[in-house]
Amino acid sequence: MSPSKCINCSKAAKLYCTGCKGCPTSETGPATTATWYCTADCQKEHRATHKKDCENAQARRTLFRAAETAFRLFIILRRANLTLPVERVEKLGAIWALHSLKKRPGTSILLHFPDDTIPSIQDQEAVLTWQKCLPHLADLHKVLKEMLLDLSTSIYEVHFWPKNPPLRLRRVYDGGSVWDSTQYRHWILRVTIKNGEAYAIDITGAQFGWTEHIMPWSHYEQHRIHNDSAKPVEIQPFGRCVQIKAEKYREWNQVPNLSFEEAFNTELNASLHQWAQKNIALSPLLRLPEKKFNEKRSAMLIHIDHHMQAFKKNCIKGKRYEAGNPNEELDAIPSGYSSNP
């Protein structure tokens, strides 16, 4: 039984528009669109009226798919180039302590994620996104550009202080020193699509307990962004994080584990290019019908994951990146890299 009446004549409906069925609405939450009709004739009669709403719904769906796809690609990249030596997570209410192991000299700085001691997917995502808000916008810039550019009228990188995050991650170093990620600002994207709707895309919000990767800008701004004279918001052009990361490379050229990141980023883009040549590129992928999209994206993510893990294995085998001084925390990025330019 259909859930509503025909939008054109109000009779009992049994058909729906396949173009926008299941597309997300412009409101927060899991609601999706559904436009019902009693007959094909009523649908045809209503087509001119419905066309714009249908196009808007499809653009919204494409944007939501882009945000989720970017997140999945980032998690694959982080698992491949992981250098954070997390041994376990100690949960103290809303505060989690990440306990670290010290790397041994002569061993690879590339590590495998401890799935056995951190089995929860949500917990893994919180750890993997910790202090990676700026790097993800830099590392995935080409990917985000390909997926978002023809959807949007504007894209900005937004730098702000998080408001009342439900989760706080603290890195506990050997010796007892602590690094609290909420002492630093956060980076997200503000994307306005062609119908004027604006959205926040937050790929690394899991570190704060925020599991939604995209939501309407007004809701995100109200509930998650501090914006006052003491904690002002910075609006930067799309690509600014790429520039900041390049500047930090020059500033910290003595930090051993910065150089390998570019190798992994290059490999990720090469793998995506290889997939696109043999299958389908990201932009048209996002516009496929639901079933075909899920099948193709799943196959693409498996391909990328296998490729990146093979690259990591070769790096370890070839001893390309190894720890040196046993007292040196190679994964500890100098303060401010991830959040404060």
Side-chain angles (χ1 to χ4, degrees):
M1 182 178 293
S2 64
S4 62
K5 297 179 180 180
C6 176
I7 195 172
N8 191 51
C9 70
S10 299
K11 292 181 181 179
K14 57 184 179 181
L15 305 174
Y16 57 81
C17 174
T18 57
C20 59
K21 179 69 166 63
C23 291
T25 67
S26 58
E27 306 298 324
T28 58
T32 57
T33 59
T35 305
W36 291 84
Y37 297 97
C38 59
T39 63
D41 287 339
C42 246
Q43 182 177 11
K44 184 177 180 180
E45 184 178 325
H46 190 252
R47 185 167 297 156
T49 303
H50 177 60
K51 181 180 178 181
K52 191 63 178 178
D53 288 339
C54 189
E55 290 175 349
N56 290 340
Q58 291 182 56
R60 200 179 300 125
R61 176 177 60 196
T62 303
L63 184 68
F64 275 61
R65 286 176 173 182
E68 177 65 23
T69 301
F71 173 75
R72 294 299 161 198
L73 288 170
F74 181 69
I75 292 299
I76 288 172
L77 179 62
R78 282 290 291 133
R79 280 185 165 273
N81 69 7
L82 181 68
T83 61
L84 182 66
V86 178
E87 178 187 16
R88 61 189 175 88
V89 174
E90 181 183 9
K91 296 184 179 181
L92 306 170
I95 298 175
W96 294 5
L98 309 182
H99 292 270
S100 301
L101 288 172
K102 184 163 288 185
K103 299 184 180 76
R104 300 189 307 274
T107 61
S108 177
I109 66 171
L110 296 171
L111 302 173
H112 296 289
F113 192 88
D115 296 288
D116 52 341
T117 58
I118 310 177
S120 163
I121 298 298
Q122 188 170 331
D123 294 356
Q124 291 175 12
E125 292 173 350
V127 174
L128 287 167
T129 56
W130 182 72
Q131 283 290 287
K132 289 297 177 181
C133 50
L134 185 150
H136 104 269
L137 288 180
D139 298 342
L140 293 185
H141 180 76
K142 290 182 179 179
V143 172
L144 291 165
K145 183 177 180 180
E146 180 179 349
M147 292 194 294
L148 300 177
L149 211 56
D150 65 346
L151 272 175
S152 61
T153 57
S154 68
I155 307 173
Y156 292 101
E157 296 175 356
V158 183
H159 198 204
F160 65 94
W161 293 94
K163 183 187 346 182
N164 303 322
L167 175 64
R168 296 174 61 167
L169 299 186
R170 292 177 173 175
R171 171 82 182 278
V172 181
Y173 292 91
D174 187 44
S177 61
V178 174
W179 186 5
D180 185 346
S181 69
T182 56
Q183 295 173 357
Y184 299 90
R185 289 182 285 177
H186 189 43
W187 285 94
I188 63 170
L189 288 181
R190 184 186 190 276
V191 180
T192 302
I193 56 178
K194 293 177 180 179
N195 67 355
E197 295 173 3
Y199 292 88
I201 295 182
D202 187 354
I203 304 302
T204 56
Q207 64 183 303
F208 299 112
W210 298 332
T211 57
E212 305 94 337
H213 307 129
I214 182 171
M215 68 170 55
W217 176 258
S218 58
H219 184 84
Y220 192 100
E221 183 179 35
Q222 179 182 355
H223 295 282
R224 299 186 179 179
I225 297 179
H226 268 297
N227 190 7
D228 53 44
S229 57
K231 295 182 176 180
V233 175
E234 296 179 14
I235 309 295
Q236 301 286 350
F238 185 48
R240 175 58 180 146
C241 286
V242 174
Q243 297 172 350
I244 293 172
K245 188 172 182 181
E247 292 165 5
K248 296 305 181 183
Y249 270 0
R250 292 191 292 270
E251 180 182 345
W252 302 328
N253 57 13
Q254 77 281 7
V255 179
N257 72 322
L258 291 183
S259 60
F260 80 93
E261 289 188 358
E262 285 308 305
F264 276 83
N265 297 342
T266 299
E267 201 65 26
L268 174 68
N269 287 306
S271 181
L272 283 166
H273 180 70
Q274 181 187 66
W275 170 266
Q277 285 188 316
K278 295 182 178 180
N279 294 276
I280 186 171
L282 283 172
S283 184
L285 168 69
L286 299 176
R287 292 163 171 79
L288 290 175
E290 190 71 15
K291 183 178 180 181
K292 182 64 70 173
F293 165 74
N294 288 329
E295 290 173 353
K296 286 288 187 181
R297 186 178 70 169
S298 178
M300 180 192 75
L301 293 175
I302 291 172
H303 166 80
I304 301 297
D305 187 38
H306 288 173
H307 186 102
M308 296 305 295
Q309 287 300 322
F311 181 70
K312 177 178 186 174
K313 184 177 180 180
N314 288 337
C315 287
I316 294 174
K317 185 178 180 181
K319 299 182 178 181
R320 292 182 60 180
Y321 309 105
E322 292 189 345
N325 187 332
N327 296 315
E328 189 176 44
E329 285 283 358
L330 294 182
D331 61 289
I333 302 297
S335 177
Y337 169 66
S338 297
S339 299
N340 294 319

